[in-house]
Amino acid sequence: MPTAARPSALHRMRFVGADTGKSSILTLFPVWSQMLGLDAELLPLDIPIGAPAGRFRDAVTAMRSDGQCVGALVTTHKISLYAAARDLFDEVDPFGTECGEVSSIAFRDGRTLGAAKDPITAGLSLREFLSDNHFADGAQVLCLGAGGAGTAIGWYLAQRRDAPSRLTFVDTAADRLDHLAAVVAPHATRSTLETLRPDEVDISARLGALPSGSVVINATGMGKERPGSPVPGSAVFPADAVVWDLNYRGSLEFLVHARTQEQDRRLTVVDGWRYFIHGWTQVIAEVFGIPMPPERVEELAAAADGLRR
């Protein structure tokens, strides 16, 4: 007797990125959907880095026309999608408008709603490993990468009560640096904001000059979407530094480099797993219109930890 086909899910959520097939969310989402009672499936949608604006507009239009699609999480292309398709949204939240990005798309009551969850995700993640007065003794921030995640991190850090004395961002693209400066500068009233291209700074020397306890971040995508690290292999991290790689999967050269110095330099080394958890739970809450209190996030995180890949 043939096995009955499993009914298709009532709702469909899209995952827009450049290399979604290796993400742990493809394993986690069915479990989370059941735990949250969503009756939903997740379908990846890969768009190449550097794709023309029309690809992003077509993606939003197709999702909006799909009666089962309730929304999407956008990674990698958050700024590009916003720039290309802003006019296709009926509403974008204040974070999205200010940061010029969309990481969450929700289709509700015939309207297309955009939101930028990275500033919230950055804050939730950073508060887990930085004390409330971490920067009080002069620690600085060096963030390698000035895309959507880097911009959101800068936005959050500039507004902390103990704002870092200096926020430095390094990126290969001048337009991303200009965008970040436009978003972060109005809030960096107690920090010196510096934006540089790699050919304008000696990363090894800059790391060596950072005060003890400084925070060094890999927000470039290197080590995940493409192999490599933004830090030379001979570079030495500052003593007592917090080293945060936003990646949790891939070749992870930056993370491996930091862990080789973890004991000798007394580093706090953090990968991107909790950033991933917070990012997805915040967007799922937005897309499906459900509450996501801290205790629910921890329940979902506990289930995810056992399925991490």
Side-chain angles (χ1 to χ4, degrees):
M1 182 175 180
T3 303
R6 182 186 182 278
S8 61
L10 178 63
H11 302 299
R12 181 177 297 131
M13 181 175 173
R14 302 305 303 265
F15 174 21
V16 182
D19 181 23
T20 59
K22 298 175 184 176
S23 176
S24 292
I25 196 61
L26 301 181
T27 301
L28 303 183
F29 190 86
V31 176
W32 284 0
S33 176
Q34 185 174 23
M35 291 175 66
L36 296 170
L38 299 179
D39 190 17
E41 63 180 349
L42 182 71
L43 295 180
L45 174 57
D46 282 349
I47 299 174
I49 294 174
R55 290 289 297 274
F56 299 107
R57 295 183 64 83
D58 289 347
V60 174
T61 300
M63 289 187 286
R64 193 167 57 173
S65 301
D66 180 352
Q68 284 187 285
C69 185
V70 292
L73 178 140
V74 182
T75 186
T76 306
H77 303 302
K78 295 182 285 283
I79 293 175
S80 297
L81 188 143
Y82 178 92
R86 172 62 183 90
D87 62 302
L88 300 180
F89 289 84
D90 296 289
E91 181 181 326
V92 176
D93 77 342
F95 281 150
T97 300
E98 183 173 2
C99 293
E101 65 169 78
V102 166
S103 59
S104 169
I105 303 173
F107 303 111
R108 192 171 298 134
D109 300 325
R111 305 179 74 231
T112 302
L113 311 177
K117 294 300 181 181
D118 272 357
I120 297 172
T121 300
L124 290 169
S125 301
L126 284 161
R127 285 195 293 272
E128 290 185 349
F129 54 83
L130 293 182
S131 67
D132 290 341
N133 63 345
H134 181 86
F135 298 101
D137 293 331
Q140 300 179 10
V141 173
L142 173 61
C143 183
L144 306 169
T151 300
I153 289 167
W155 185 95
Y156 167 78
L157 289 172
Q159 298 180 77
R160 276 178 60 111
R161 183 175 299 176
D162 65 330
S165 60
R166 181 177 293 271
L167 289 163
T168 301
F169 294 85
V170 181
D171 198 285
T172 57
D175 59 337
R176 286 197 293 264
L177 292 170
D178 290 344
H179 174 77
L180 181 144
V183 171
V184 176
H187 304 286
T189 57
R190 291 166 294 140
S191 305
T192 298
L193 177 62
E194 185 178 31
T195 58
L196 300 164
R197 295 190 307 276
D199 59 356
E200 297 175 320
V201 60
D202 182 329
I203 296 295
S204 293
R206 181 58 64 98
L207 285 171
L210 286 173
S212 174
S214 290
V215 179
V216 183
I217 304 166
N218 175 23
T220 65
M222 293 182 73
K224 174 189 171 186
E225 292 158 356
R226 59 192 187 281
S229 169
V231 171
S234 59
V236 178
F237 290 98
D240 302 305
V242 176
V243 183
W244 187 24
D245 191 341
L246 298 193
N247 302 324
Y248 75 89
R249 63 178 175 90
S251 50
L252 300 175
E253 288 90 343
F254 177 88
L255 190 70
V256 171
H257 183 178
R259 284 179 173 159
T260 64
Q261 300 179 22
E262 190 168 6
Q263 290 189 338
D264 289 347
R265 304 297 291 167
R266 302 181 303 279
L267 307 180
T268 299
V269 182
V270 184
D271 71 8
W273 182 247
R274 291 290 294 187
Y275 185 80
F276 165 84
I277 295 292
H278 285 305
W280 271 99
T281 52
Q282 287 296 312
V283 173
I284 287 172
E286 181 75 19
V287 167
F288 291 95
I290 59 174
M292 193 61 69
E295 57 271 21
R296 176 167 286 178
V297 172
E298 293 311 315
E299 290 173 0
L300 297 175
D305 288 344
L307 298 170
R308 181 176 177 176
R309 70 183 194 189

